[in-house]
Amino acid sequence: MTTGAGGNSITGGTQGTVVQAGHIEHLVVRQAPPPADEVTVAPPWGLRGAPLRGRAELLARLRAASGTHVLYGLGGVGKTSLALAVADVLAADGAPVWWVAAQDAGRLAGGLRAVARRLGLSEDELAAGQTADLLWERLAGLPGPWLLVLDNADDLALLDGPGSLAAGTGWVRASAPLRGLVLVTTRDGEPAAWGTGPVLHPLGALPGAEGARVLADRVAAEAGPATDAELLAVRLGGLPLALDSAGRYLASVAERPAYFRTPGEPATYGAYLAALGAGDVTVDGDGTLARIWAMSLRLLRDRGHAHAEGLLRLLAGFADAPVPLRVFAPVRVDIPPGELWSCLQALDRLGLATLQTDGEPLVTLHPLVRDAFRGERERLSAALAEELESPQRLGPLWPLLVPHLLDGLGPDVPYSAWAGAVRAVRSLTARGLLQEAVEAATTVSQGTADALTEDDPLTMAARFTHGRALLHLARYGEALVVLHALVEDCCRLLPPDDLFLLQARNERALVLQQSGSNDLSQVEFTAVLESLLRLLGPDHEHTLITHHNVAMDLAILGRLDEALTELDVVLAAETRLLGPDHDDTLTTRENRACVLRDLGDTEAARSELRAVTEARRRRFGPEHPTTLSARFNLATVLAPDRARAELAAVLHARTRLLGPHHPITVATGEALARTLPE
């Protein structure tokens, strides 16, 4: 430092602080800038491990792509793994690859400045405050191929940098003409935030077969058949992170001698799946998935979706099945409709849920997200119960509601949940899903018996639906036990002419009829019919059902002319009151045609059975139990070759639906055998 009469000057390097009082004529300070935070732009090759599954097509497209592409989806779905696979392929071809961590502003800016230095920008240029502009000018001038990855760019506000991501003036600029590839991985695939330039690629869950291959890649020893691995992969929602966790768990068990394993510790796919359902194991032992969900919810809150977590917890109370959005109408979620819809869209974009808007709007929660946020069953039961108050408007919603009505039943669920469950069992039976109906009916019947009183109408209704489901599945012995006990209890608790008691007696008599005890069933049907005629009159639906059953008893006993007379009376009333294609009318038409066949009027029987078969096929499809019944009866009046072909088709369907040893399947096989040439 020098001083003089004319002024002062300072030259050279210095450290600390220089304070000059008075007039300063000349001051020059040159000092090396402080060292920047250390960053790396090398790809994380150490994360390479098992083969990448289920992404071959997208990997090939990205390998040949240029411009800016965005991989978005649920945390743990494999975005980084796919980006690393792209980097691996391009690097092997000699292309330069830069990898920038984009979780926070410091690493993002530091990484992009490091890339800029690699591209020849000087420190003075970087210090001029136009790094983003200069970087993208250099990238646009590079010959291809090359790859720049911005990994984990979940906070899109960081990508705005000095300008705006959507406007093309931020750290990412899709409008630049590039010969190489910029690949961004993120949870957030909201198109408006990205602008019109980037190509957005949603990364979804792996299908079951590919998920099974991920498990097999990680399990060193044999852990069970591929079918079990696929079931486990589906239960894990096809999430690669969860598949990896489960596979490594099974591998760790397999590598230990048996005497070093905890009793009951799952060592196979099937055992792991069972333990997962029982809550004995978790795919999130280290809390990784919980942190992923928390980060996603924080991102939603930051984007202004304050109700997203509450909505997520509400959805998690439903079964692991698509939820019709219409059921949210009666749920008082205290979310304005517009915000509710935007929250659903946001959950969909982050991969936490899947929103389907084609046809009936549905939302499906990822199964592992559902596990993490399970709750709010009581509010949902109330919502579903309100929907069920107007069943005539549900129509095609029934199949969608059934799994939710049967989910989460227990002693603490509200009364409305049991009401919905009983109706769900009836729906399964009516739709011909007989195995599922019996399983559900058994659970609901036992559950209502434990949760409610024995004389509660729901307890009795559940027992009735149980017996009816068993009857439809031709498990006559079990059905008779259930319905006989129900009738005995109803006789003790209800008046003799109570309508429910009469229905239970009718159903018990139907079991007797179908199992061959026709003398007993005829007496019971006749007594029930007399009561119904007195209570409801001849044209009531319940009266007509029992009247039909009386006629069928006459037919089974060989009194065909009497049976035909009674069926004519029933059919005329049903056609007038219900229409020719109502389920009950079609049943009467089918059975009347069989009586005509047995009386020798084959032509009339064939014509009517064709009409009934076609009506049932139109309404229920070719393999509904009632359609198969009509097809079977139609085959009995066809020429031998055509009968043989139709019976073979019916046998194939019944074998698949009921099993080869079911009485109905066996009877179909015997009928087919009788058509074979000797």
Side-chain angles (χ1 to χ4, degrees), residues 9-84:
S9 66
I10 180 169
T11 59
T14 184
Q15 292 183 344
T17 302
V18 175
V19 178
Q20 170 67 46
H23 176 72
I24 298 178
E25 179 183 278
H26 178 63
L27 175 65
V28 176
V29 177
R30 287 193 174 90
Q31 180 179 350
D37 291 339
E38 291 293 330
V39 295
T40 177
V41 292
W45 300 123
L47 297 180
R48 288 179 296 190
L52 184 71
R53 299 295 187 186
R55 312 296 190 197
E57 180 182 351
L58 183 53
L59 175 60
R61 286 160 53 196
L62 291 172
R63 175 182 180 178
S66 60
T68 302
H69 292 248
V70 177
L71 300 176
Y72 72 92
L74 180 66
V77 81
K79 302 181 294 293
T80 296
S81 296
L82 178 55
L84 191 57

Side-chain angles (χ1 to χ4, degrees), residues 106-474:
R107 279 185 283 186
L108 173 64
L112 290 174
R113 288 191 175 95
V115 173
R117 291 187 185 95
R118 297 283 186 94
L119 296 178
L121 290 179
S122 67
E123 293 301 330
D124 287 341
E125 288 175 307
L126 292 175
Q130 296 181 340
T131 303
D133 291 343
L134 295 172
L135 171 62
W136 282 90
E137 287 175 8
R138 291 296 176 97
L139 289 173
L142 282 180
W146 50 263
L147 173 66
L148 169 60
V149 176
L150 278 68
D151 191 31
N152 291 319
D154 296 327
D155 185 354
L156 300 193
L158 298 181
L159 299 185
D160 286 335
S164 166
L165 170 65
T169 58
W171 278 125
V172 173
R173 302 184 179 185
S175 58
L178 303 175
R179 298 182 184 89
L181 174 64
V182 176
L183 189 57
V184 187
T185 72
T186 179
R187 285 178 172 83
D188 197 340
E190 183 173 356
W194 285 97
T196 58
V199 181
L200 302 180
H201 302 278
L203 209 58
L206 294 176
E210 292 297 330
R213 294 177 69 189
V214 172
L215 289 168
D217 288 337
R218 286 146 179 81
V219 181
E222 177 61 39
T227 50
D228 286 356
E230 189 164 341
L231 289 173
L232 177 55
V234 171
R235 175 62 183 82
L236 296 174
L239 189 68
L241 181 63
L243 293 166
D244 180 77
S245 175
R248 292 181 188 280
Y249 176 97
L250 290 172
S252 71
V253 173
E255 71 183 7
R256 284 181 269 138
Y259 47 81
F260 279 129
R261 300 177 189 173
T262 304
E265 192 171 24
T268 65
Y269 301 127
Y272 188 95
L273 180 61
L276 187 64
D280 295 334
V281 298
T282 175
V283 294
D284 194 26
D286 62 356
T288 299
L289 290 174
R291 289 191 293 274
I292 287 174
W293 313 147
M295 290 169 63
S296 296
L297 288 175
R298 185 166 61 249
L299 179 61
L300 287 172
R301 286 193 298 270
D302 291 345
R303 296 192 68 84
H305 298 295
H307 299 288
E309 183 171 355
L311 179 59
L312 193 63
R313 294 190 182 279
L314 188 65
L315 286 169
F318 284 88
D320 186 13
V323 182
L325 295 188
R326 207 186 311 180
V327 303
F328 283 103
V331 184
R332 301 299 176 248
V333 292
D334 298 324
I335 305 177
E339 171 61 12
L340 178 60
W341 182 249
S342 66
C343 278
L344 288 167
Q345 290 180 310
L347 291 172
D348 176 73
R349 283 191 291 267
L350 289 186
L352 297 167
T354 301
L355 186 60
Q356 176 185 319
T357 55
D358 294 337
E360 181 69 39
L362 306 170
V363 60
T364 306
L365 208 60
H366 190 282
L368 297 182
V369 176
R370 176 178 173 269
D371 289 348
F373 293 94
R374 191 81 164 115
E376 304 238 19
R377 176 70 196 178
E378 184 171 353
R379 294 174 68 195
L380 299 174
S381 298
L384 293 170
E386 288 188 40
E387 281 292 319
L388 296 173
E389 287 178 1
S390 302
Q392 67 277 5
R393 70 185 176 89
L394 292 178
L397 270 188
W398 260 115
L400 299 170
L401 290 176
V402 164
H404 305 295
L405 293 168
L406 294 173
D407 183 61
L409 297 172
D412 298 328
V413 303
Y415 190 84
S416 58
W418 293 115
V422 170
R423 299 184 82 163
V425 173
R426 292 176 187 164
S427 172
L428 288 171
T429 304
R431 289 161 51 209
L433 302 173
L434 302 182
Q435 299 280 12
E436 295 92 330
V438 166
E439 292 174 9
T442 304
T443 299
V444 173
S445 179
Q446 185 60 55
T448 52
D450 293 341
L452 309 173
T453 60
E454 68 171 355
D455 60 343
D456 190 286
L458 271 183
T459 306
M460 293 184 175
R463 294 169 67 186
F464 181 88
T465 57
H466 186 200
R468 196 163 189 267
L470 289 165
L471 166 62
H472 278 72
L473 199 55

Side-chain angles (χ1 to χ4, degrees), residues 305-663:
H305 298 295
H307 299 288
E309 183 171 355
L311 179 59
L312 193 63
R313 294 190 182 279
L314 188 65
L315 286 169
F318 284 88
D320 186 13
V323 182
L325 295 188
R326 207 186 311 180
V327 303
F328 283 103
V331 184
R332 301 299 176 248
V333 292
D334 298 324
I335 305 177
E339 171 61 12
L340 178 60
W341 182 249
S342 66
C343 278
L344 288 167
Q345 290 180 310
L347 291 172
D348 176 73
R349 283 191 291 267
L350 289 186
L352 297 167
T354 301
L355 186 60
Q356 176 185 319
T357 55
D358 294 337
E360 181 69 39
L362 306 170
V363 60
T364 306
L365 208 60
H366 190 282
L368 297 182
V369 176
R370 176 178 173 269
D371 289 348
F373 293 94
R374 191 81 164 115
E376 304 238 19
R377 176 70 196 178
E378 184 171 353
R379 294 174 68 195
L380 299 174
S381 298
L384 293 170
E386 288 188 40
E387 281 292 319
L388 296 173
E389 287 178 1
S390 302
Q392 67 277 5
R393 70 185 176 89
L394 292 178
L397 270 188
W398 260 115
L400 299 170
L401 290 176
V402 164
H404 305 295
L405 293 168
L406 294 173
D407 183 61
L409 297 172
D412 298 328
V413 303
Y415 190 84
S416 58
W418 293 115
V422 170
R423 299 184 82 163
V425 173
R426 292 176 187 164
S427 172
L428 288 171
T429 304
R431 289 161 51 209
L433 302 173
L434 302 182
Q435 299 280 12
E436 295 92 330
V438 166
E439 292 174 9
T442 304
T443 299
V444 173
S445 179
Q446 185 60 55
T448 52
D450 293 341
L452 309 173
T453 60
E454 68 171 355
D455 60 343
D456 190 286
L458 271 183
T459 306
M460 293 184 175
R463 294 169 67 186
F464 181 88
T465 57
H466 186 200
R468 196 163 189 267
L470 289 165
L471 166 62
H472 278 72
L473 199 55
R475 288 163 59 170
Y476 300 127
E478 297 169 76
L480 187 59
V481 169
V482 171
L483 291 169
H484 183 71
L486 175 61
V487 169
E488 291 296 306
D489 288 342
C490 287
C491 287
R492 180 170 49 84
L493 296 168
L494 301 173
D497 280 349
D498 181 87
L499 181 58
F500 181 80
L501 169 58
L502 294 174
Q503 288 179 283
R505 290 176 62 189
N506 176 83
E507 209 71 14
R508 181 180 66 174
L510 193 57
V511 176
L512 292 169
Q513 181 192 80
Q514 297 298 312
S515 57
S517 300
N518 299 102
D519 290 335
L520 294 174
S521 64
Q522 186 184 33
V523 171
E524 184 74 334
F525 279 137
T526 301
V528 171
L529 181 59
E530 290 175 356
S531 295
L532 290 172
L533 286 168
R534 185 174 62 255
L535 287 172
L536 304 174
D539 286 348
H540 192 278
E541 185 176 359
H542 293 313
T543 308
L544 291 170
I545 289 172
T546 303
H547 194 168
H548 168 273
N549 292 337
V550 169
M552 290 311 299
D553 254 338
L554 292 171
I556 293 169
L557 293 170
R559 297 159 61 179
L560 298 176
D561 290 325
E562 295 174 72
L564 185 61
T565 299
E566 297 302 321
L567 287 171
D568 284 343
V569 173
V570 173
L571 181 58
E574 288 177 336
T575 302
R576 183 178 74 255
L577 298 169
L578 305 175
D581 289 341
H582 187 275
D583 292 348
D584 293 348
T585 311
L586 290 172
T587 299
T588 303
R589 290 174 63 186
E590 180 181 350
N591 287 329
R592 180 180 177 276
C594 291
V595 171
L596 288 172
R597 175 199 61 197
D598 295 343
L599 285 168
D601 193 349
T602 305
E603 187 60 39
R606 184 185 302 118
S607 175
E608 183 69 337
L609 285 168
R610 278 197 178 116
V612 170
T613 300
E614 185 55 35
R616 290 204 184 279
R617 193 190 298 268
R618 281 196 311 269
R619 182 162 186 178
F620 299 115
E623 294 189 350
H624 189 278
T626 58
T627 308
L628 292 173
S629 170
R631 293 174 64 187
F632 177 91
N633 284 320
L634 175 60
T636 64
V637 292
L638 296 176
D641 288 346
R642 296 186 63 189
R644 193 157 44 248
E646 185 68 350
L647 286 171
V650 172
L651 177 62
H652 178 74
R654 284 176 165 170
T655 300
R656 182 164 45 79
L657 295 171
L658 302 174
H661 305 300
H662 192 279

